[in-house]
Amino acid sequence: MSNATPLSPFVSRHIGPRDHEIREMLSMLGYESLDHLTDTVVPNGIAYRDRLHLSGGVSEEEALAELKQIASKNRVVKNLIGQGYYGTFTPKVILRNVLENPAWYTAYTPYQPEISQGRLEVLFYFQTMVCELTGMEIAGASLLDEGTAAAEAMTLCLRSTKKKGTQFLVAKQCHRQTIELVETRAKPLGIEVVVVDQADAALDWANAFGVLVQYPATDGSVPGLKEFCDAAHASDCMVVAATDLLALTLLKPPSSFGADAVIGNAQRFGVPFGYGGPHAAFLATRDAYKRTLPGRLVGQSVDSHGKPAYRLALQTREQHIRREKATSNICTAQALLAIMSTLYACYHGPQGLQGIARRVHGQTMRLIRSLRAAGWEVLSDQVFDTFVIKTRDEDACKLMERAVAAGFNLRYVDARHVGLSLDETISSEDLVEIAGIFQAQLVESHGDSERSTLPVDGFRDDAYMTQSVFHRYRSETEMMRYLRRLSEMDIALDRAMIPLGSCTMKLNAASEMTPVTWPEFNAIHPFAPADQTVGYREMIASLESMLCEITGYDSISLQPNAGSQGEYAGLLAIKRYHESRGDHQRDICLIPSSAHGTNPASAQMANMQVVVVKCDQYGNIDVADLDAKIAAYPGRVAAIMITYPSTHGVFEEVVTEVCEKVHAAGGQVYIDGANLNALVGVAKPGKFGGDVSHLNLHKTFCIPHGGGGPGVGPVAVRSHLAPFLPKDGVNADRQGPIVSSAPFGSASILPISWMYIRMMGAEGLRRATQVAILNANYIAHRLKKHYPILYTGHRGLVAHECILDTRPMGQHHVSVEDIAKRLIDYGFHAPTMSFPVGGTLMIEPTESESLQELDRFCRAMALIFEEYEKVREGVWPADNNPLHNAPHTLDTLLEGAEFPYSRREAVCPDSEQDYAVKYWPPVGRVDNVYGDRNLVCACPPMETYAAAE
């Protein structure tokens, strides 16, 4: 491939090593050029040597101007659509210091708690906030969206109840997208979804194991659900309530009428519409069901000094680690958005939240009185912020057109009814305009005493959110300082390299992040009229086209809002393809033993039987075992799920042979896109045998990890699978089941990936891949004299990551965890630990890290090996050395702990490093066992402390 086309100016900003450093690194490895290295490491049978058919890269300013022109085609109006999405104000102190702050958005999932205390603390308070408002005893640290949370609650009911029913009842009063997503998840599992009326307690409960109700309902009504829940419980049927957190600041919580689980969305707590996401959902339940919660659960434990410390509890609660025995495939959460919503609650406090809720409710009552005075029929008296109005003899569409002309979107219910939902952004002037749409005059306000038609006993009278965190940071000064203190406790990409294998922590450029806060993108409702979203759809179509060209597939859906959901959507497409051909018996999913845990979990959720294929001693798929497994299930093979390059960080030579064998058996090939950062511009999975892949835009395409989410996991397919992609209301050829509450999932962060591809261009993307491969091989070369490289490919090369074998060190009482924690003292986040092989470290440097940072990391690892040798040789005791005691906190030094090594060796172990700015871990090593045995996942209310006193 010729490199004659000049690279865009942005490429040198994105790629870490300078040109002369690249030449030096290549020379050390024995290669003449990046092309020489690439041609050697990438198998000839899959290599793509043509130029990607993409535009040349442009500068940051040019890309922003181009995208701004596209964004201007969207029309921003005030949305009264509701249906689970509401207008909100993001406090500017949170916008500037969290959403726009790389200390927060570049952080990784808090698997290493010692360097994640800041984000873990806020997620702990998220759980507390949800428990306080819902009246439940335990809550997770966020889920993907409200519909997904409802589906997860359905399966929680299925595995928690003793009743052997096969029906899950869903109230017609639920949001329509929630009903549809629950149906998506239920069908493969053999669960029958029955839509019922939650106003009717006299239902047939005989075969039902659970029921989902909405409170307040999608039409705005606030139902009394005690009788309904009592009837459900009398038939051993569990009750899930979908709810609204702002409403719960005034209304009695779902626990008051007997809900067993509560789900919803924290979006209206300070997170913009964003055309549907990302937004943090929640799932709260009773303590009895804590061990069946999906997703992440933050708990409180103690560190090695007995100090309180936060951590992910109960083996992180991510059930995909159970592989084919999993009941959920959740991997990505919505950590960044959960953090924003929690801080919004801290900033306003319970009194402020109540004030917002009272104002919204009061405006709703005033508007209803005004419309009724003008002769309009409002269908419900008892509402919080939403109501449905009959349109008289006028067609609803005409009324909605008049509303748009006035600058508002109404919700279309049917030809004779429209819905209105008010929120905190509606001003008094807006109320006048809204009334005018209906030729009504706004009646006089009753102020704070605006009459409510809700029954008095429907309002909560208990104290909630009494914990000090919801009262201490009410001034902007204190909030700003609190956010600074929290971020200082963490290691994010703004502080140091995060060398996580399989997780691709690369530059999230400021220019890529800029469009996320444009109102043309973040102020659009996911169900806004099509003529208001022209720019969004143009940007989405452009991104889809670019991703198809990069991967070699024919069609792609951007709806999945996590990699796990992309996997699931891909498997559903395969399943429905087979069914369309009459191959209903195809139910076997072949999965190599090295696969990511989400692979077998997704297969299980799609009701496929997982059959594990062995890997050989080099980490490659064992072709002989593959043949045996195919032969054992004639006519039943539905798919194989492979990761390429392999999870072991190697370009497997047999990949095309594997694909051909599965195709010959009538199966489809799913290629996990987790490691796509080693393929862009050098190989196309859609061309070397793949039928479907999910891509991680939060890995390869620069959407930041945000402390554990958001993520985007598009699913790309060849043409024969395109009809089975999730329907989105725009692409008529896609008729598959939805996998996200919003048509385009987490749409507001798609501009990040658009900007990245547009600025890098074809040549820049290929160069990024080549440098990622170079950086990984450079690290492997530098460290192999200390740590064996567990797997290598052709000529001893690795792909984009390498695995260091630290298991021999265990013979001398130095564990892989000791190394991970000691790296904190050197100022690094640890590599991926004990995956895919226990007792190893998997390192992925990405193309964004400079040679200086790569050398700093290699030096740290070399020094750690020297420390290990001192333990091995008996210079330091096995139970009292820098590795065993790591990480070393400031308290350790101030308390005068006695070590057989110096204080400098403890906290400043690299003599070549400038410690003018030193990272001090806020806690010592966290005790995981103690945390699980003494599970604390939310702040106790203040009265608990008073009782103790």
Side-chain angles (χ1 to χ4, degrees):
M1 174 182 167
S2 170
N3 284 324
T5 305
L7 298 170
S8 79
F10 176 74
V11 175
S12 66
R13 303 296 188 191
H14 177 78
I15 293 176
R18 303 298 84 191
D19 287 348
H20 71 277
E21 293 172 336
I22 289 173
R23 290 192 293 270
E24 291 172 9
M25 294 162 72
L26 286 167
S27 177
M28 179 183 292
L29 295 173
Y31 293 90
E32 299 172 359
S33 65
L34 287 172
D35 284 341
H36 184 199
L37 174 63
T38 305
D39 290 345
T40 304
V41 73
V42 179
N44 188 58
I46 70 165
Y48 178 77
R49 293 191 172 84
D50 196 3
R51 179 187 182 277
L52 288 172
H53 296 291
L54 298 173
S55 301
V58 297
S59 69
E60 296 172 74
E61 292 75 17
E62 289 171 320
L64 285 168
E66 187 177 329
L67 189 56
K68 191 70 171 179
Q69 193 275 330
I70 294 173
S72 69
K73 298 177 184 179
N74 292 330
R75 181 178 177 185
V76 179
V77 303
K78 289 234 173 178
N79 283 288
L80 309 178
I81 297 172
Q83 203 168 322
Y85 302 92
Y86 306 91
T88 183
F89 292 124
T90 306
K92 298 300 183 287
V93 64
I94 297 173
L95 178 73
R96 176 63 60 89
N97 292 287
V98 178
L99 182 60
E100 298 178 344
N101 185 348
W104 289 94
Y105 67 71
T106 69
Y108 183 59
T109 306
Y111 292 129
Q112 295 286 338
E114 295 84 2
I115 49 86
S116 308
Q117 288 297 296
R119 53 193 182 272
L120 282 168
E121 179 175 322
V122 185
L123 292 173
F124 186 81
Y125 294 141
F126 174 82
Q127 296 173 173
T128 301
M129 173 185 75
V130 170
C131 288
E132 293 279 302
L133 291 175
T134 62
M136 291 287 106
E137 295 163 335
I138 193 167
S142 80
L143 291 174
L144 299 174
D145 58 32
E146 186 166 336
T148 303
E152 296 287 352
M154 172 183 67
T155 55
L156 181 146
C157 291
L158 181 64
R159 59 185 178 266
S160 299
T161 182
K162 296 178 181 178
K163 190 175 182 183
K164 301 301 181 183
T166 59
Q167 291 182 343
F168 187 69
L169 310 184
V170 179
K172 67 180 183 180
Q173 289 85 353
C174 293
H175 299 316
R176 66 189 182 197
Q177 71 272 16
T178 301
I179 298 174
E180 195 168 353
L181 212 156
V182 168
E183 289 173 335
T184 294
R185 289 285 195 90
K187 185 176 179 180
L189 300 177
I191 299 170
E192 179 188 1
V193 173
V194 180
V195 178
V196 300
D197 188 342
Q198 66 186 30
D200 180 13
L203 297 173
D204 181 3
W205 303 96
N207 199 32
F209 64 85
V211 60
L212 174 68
V213 297
Q214 187 96 31
Y215 169 83
T218 191
D219 64 2
S221 60
V222 180
L225 290 168
K226 184 69 168 64
E227 182 183 355
F228 186 89
C229 290
D230 287 346
H233 288 148
S235 298
D236 295 324
C237 183
M238 291 180 65
V239 178
V240 179
T243 193
D244 179 306
L245 290 182
L246 188 64
L248 294 186
T249 65
L250 294 183
L251 304 178
K252 285 196 171 178
S255 60
S256 67
F257 54 76
D260 299 292
V262 184
I263 64 101
N265 191 337
Q267 175 266 321
R268 72 187 308 178
F269 276 23
V271 182
F273 289 115
Y275 202 34
H279 304 135
F282 59 85
L283 170 53
T285 188
R286 303 186 186 281
D287 185 72
Y289 309 129
K290 62 177 175 283
R291 294 186 182 272
T292 60
L293 266 177
R296 296 175 189 144
L297 184 65
V298 177
Q300 190 177 68
S301 184
V302 295
D303 73 355
S304 53
H305 310 293
K307 291 179 57 177
Y310 301 104
R311 60 181 278 274
L312 292 177
L314 299 178
Q315 298 299 309
T316 82
R317 292 310 313 137
E318 293 179 300
Q319 293 196 13
H320 66 264
I321 62 174
R322 299 175 61 198
R323 301 177 71 83
E324 64 269 19
K325 293 185 176 67
T327 52
S328 169
N329 70 341
I330 289 293
C331 59
T332 310
Q334 301 285 24
L336 184 66
L337 298 312
I339 286 167
M340 289 179 63
S341 293
T342 307
L343 294 170
Y344 173 94
C346 293
Y347 193 55
H348 288 290
Q351 294 84 4
L353 294 176
Q354 268 194 3
I356 294 170
R358 287 197 184 99
R359 180 171 174 271
V360 171
H361 182 54
Q363 286 181 323
T364 304
M365 292 297 99
R366 186 182 179 193
L367 185 57
I368 287 175
R369 288 194 295 116
S370 302
L371 297 180
R372 282 179 168 161
W376 292 88
E377 181 182 349
V378 177
L379 299 193
S380 180
D381 281 329
Q382 299 183 359
V383 302
F384 167 62
D385 62 1
T386 298
F387 58 92
V388 173
I389 187 169
K390 192 172 182 180
T391 63
R392 297 175 179 171
D393 296 328
E394 188 175 14
D395 182 79
C397 293
K398 296 289 185 184
L399 187 58
M400 293 176 69
E401 289 172 6
R402 194 158 72 234
V404 171
F408 298 90
N409 281 329
L410 307 181
R411 190 203 311 184
Y412 180 84
V413 178
D414 58 37
R416 288 289 178 262
H417 297 90
V418 296
L420 293 82
S421 295
L422 304 190
D423 56 55
E424 70 166 315
T425 70
I426 300 300
S427 65
S428 299
E429 293 75 18
D430 290 331
L431 277 186
V432 174
E433 294 290 330
I434 295 168
I437 296 168
F438 297 87
Q439 289 89 43
Q441 295 291 322
L442 195 65
V443 299
E444 183 180 351
S445 170
H446 292 161
D448 291 338
S449 60
E450 190 72 52
R451 287 194 299 269
S452 174
T453 55
L454 290 167
V456 174
D457 62 1
F459 288 93
R460 67 189 305 164
D461 54 7
D462 59 324
Y464 54 86
M465 293 169 63
T466 58
Q467 296 86 354
S468 62
V469 70
F470 299 114
H471 298 266
R472 288 178 58 184
Y473 308 110
R474 304 291 280 281
S475 75
E476 180 162 335
T477 305
E478 285 302 309
M479 176 59 75
M480 176 180 64
R481 290 171 181 164
Y482 178 53
L483 297 178
R484 175 61 182 266
R485 289 198 298 273
L486 289 170
S487 65
E488 284 293 317
M489 289 195 280
D490 293 4
I491 291 181
L493 207 60
D494 66 324
R495 189 190 290 270
M497 170 185 176
I498 301 179
L500 287 155
S502 195
C503 293
T504 318
M505 300 294 293
K506 63 201 293 183
L507 173 69
N508 314 122
S511 55
E512 295 159 5
M513 298 297 294
T514 297
V516 171
T517 55
W518 290 349
E520 296 93 337
F521 283 133
N522 74 15
I524 305 294
H525 194 285
F527 304 127
D531 61 358
Q532 295 177 17
T533 61
V534 173
Y536 244 125
R537 286 182 284 115
E538 181 178 331
M539 184 271 294
I540 286 170
S542 173
L543 181 57
E544 287 181 342
S545 176
M546 292 188 289
L547 292 173
C548 283
E549 168 58 21
I550 288 167
T551 59
Y553 288 106
D554 303 307
S555 192
I556 188 169
S557 168
L558 301 178
Q559 186 180 115
N561 50 11
S564 57
Q565 305 312 297
E567 288 180 14
Y568 182 62
L571 291 176
L572 289 185
I574 289 173
K575 189 178 181 68
R576 295 208 169 193
Y577 167 74
H578 286 312
E579 290 170 351
S580 73
R581 294 159 55 87
D583 287 341
H584 297 276
Q585 80 286 353
R586 291 194 177 273
D587 63 347
I588 298 297
C589 188
L590 304 171
I591 302 181
S593 59
S594 62
H596 292 130
T598 49
N599 290 176
S602 295
Q604 185 275 335
M605 289 174 59
N607 200 26
M608 292 183 179
Q609 180 180 332
V610 174
V611 173
V612 177
V613 179
K614 296 177 183 177
C615 290
D616 64 22
Q617 60 180 323
Y618 305 107
N620 301 315
I621 294 173
D622 186 327
V623 176
D625 190 57
L626 174 65
D627 288 336
K629 296 297 168 57
I630 290 174
Y633 300 98
R636 289 183 58 192
V637 173
I640 187 170
M641 299 183 80
I642 62 175
T643 301
Y644 202 82
S646 76
T647 311
H648 298 108
V650 175
F651 285 97
E652 294 187 57
E653 300 280 347
V654 298
V655 64
T656 53
E657 181 183 356
V658 168
C659 294
E660 289 167 359
K661 287 178 179 292
V662 173
H663 284 147
Q668 298 286 288
V669 175
Y670 171 97
I671 299 179
D672 189 312
N675 295 337
L676 196 69
N677 208 48
L679 295 179
V680 176
V682 303
K684 294 185 175 185
K687 297 299 183 184
F688 63 71
D691 297 293
V692 55
S693 288
H694 91 268
L695 323 178
N696 293 101
L697 299 194
H698 50 289
K699 292 186 180 183
T700 306
F701 297 101
C702 292
I703 290 177
H705 288 246
V712 180
V715 56
V717 298
R718 291 175 60 198
S719 57
H720 64 285
L721 293 177
F724 309 103
L725 287 175
K727 61 184 176 183
D728 54 28
V730 173
N731 298 280
D733 60 329
R734 302 175 189 173
Q735 295 301 316
I738 67 168
V739 294
S740 170
S741 291
F744 294 98
S746 295
S748 68
I749 54 177
L750 297 177
I752 299 170
S753 298
W754 188 95
M755 284 287 295
Y756 171 66
I757 297 171
R758 189 69 189 90
M759 291 187 295
M760 293 294 283
E763 293 77 14
L765 290 171
R766 177 178 169 87
R767 189 174 183 85
T769 300
Q770 292 179 313
V771 175
I773 293 172
L774 172 63
N775 283 358
N777 279 282
Y778 177 78
I779 284 182
H781 180 79
R782 286 281 311 268
L783 294 181
K784 66 182 180 182
K785 63 182 177 182
H786 302 300
Y787 307 89
I789 308 302
L790 195 56
Y791 300 106
T792 59
H794 186 52
R795 294 193 180 178
L797 295 171
V798 298
H800 60 303
E801 60 193 7
C802 59
I803 298 176
L804 307 187
D805 191 355
T806 63
R807 290 173 296 181
M809 301 164 79
Q811 299 173 18
H812 302 281
H813 308 289
V814 173
S815 69
V816 67
E817 184 178 20
D818 291 333
I819 299 170
K821 304 311 180 188
R822 181 56 170 159
L823 275 168
I824 296 172
D825 291 326
Y826 286 85
F828 282 107
H829 191 298
T832 300
M833 192 170 66
S834 292
F835 176 81
V837 179
T840 66
L841 291 171
M842 182 161 60
I843 300 167
E844 182 178 358
T846 83
E847 70 276 12
S848 295
E849 296 302 336
S850 68
L851 179 58
Q852 290 81 2
E853 188 72 350
L854 298 179
D855 285 341
R856 188 171 78 91
F857 175 76
C858 290
R859 192 167 62 248
M861 290 298 296
L863 290 171
I864 287 173
F865 188 81
E866 290 180 11
E867 293 172 347
Y868 153 71
E869 288 187 312
K870 289 184 178 180
V871 176
R872 184 185 64 187
E873 294 165 5
V875 176
W876 289 329
D879 62 349
N880 189 10
N881 59 73
L883 294 161
H884 182 269
N885 295 331
H888 296 80
T889 64
L890 182 59
D891 284 348
T892 305
L893 301 191
L894 295 178
E895 291 167 0
E898 293 295 328
F899 299 129
Y901 49 94
S902 71
R903 294 188 178 189
R904 174 172 288 278
E905 286 176 306
V907 300
C908 299
D910 183 355
S911 61
E912 296 183 35
Q913 186 170 333
D914 179 5
Y915 284 104
V917 179
K918 153 113 178 120
Y919 172 74
W920 289 99
V923 297
R925 196 174 305 193
V926 178
D927 189 331
N928 293 322
V929 175
Y930 179 93
D932 282 348
R933 288 178 177 171
N934 303 274
L935 191 63
V936 177
C937 297
C939 292
M942 291 302 289
E943 55 263 28
T944 301
Y945 297 110
E949 291 175 3

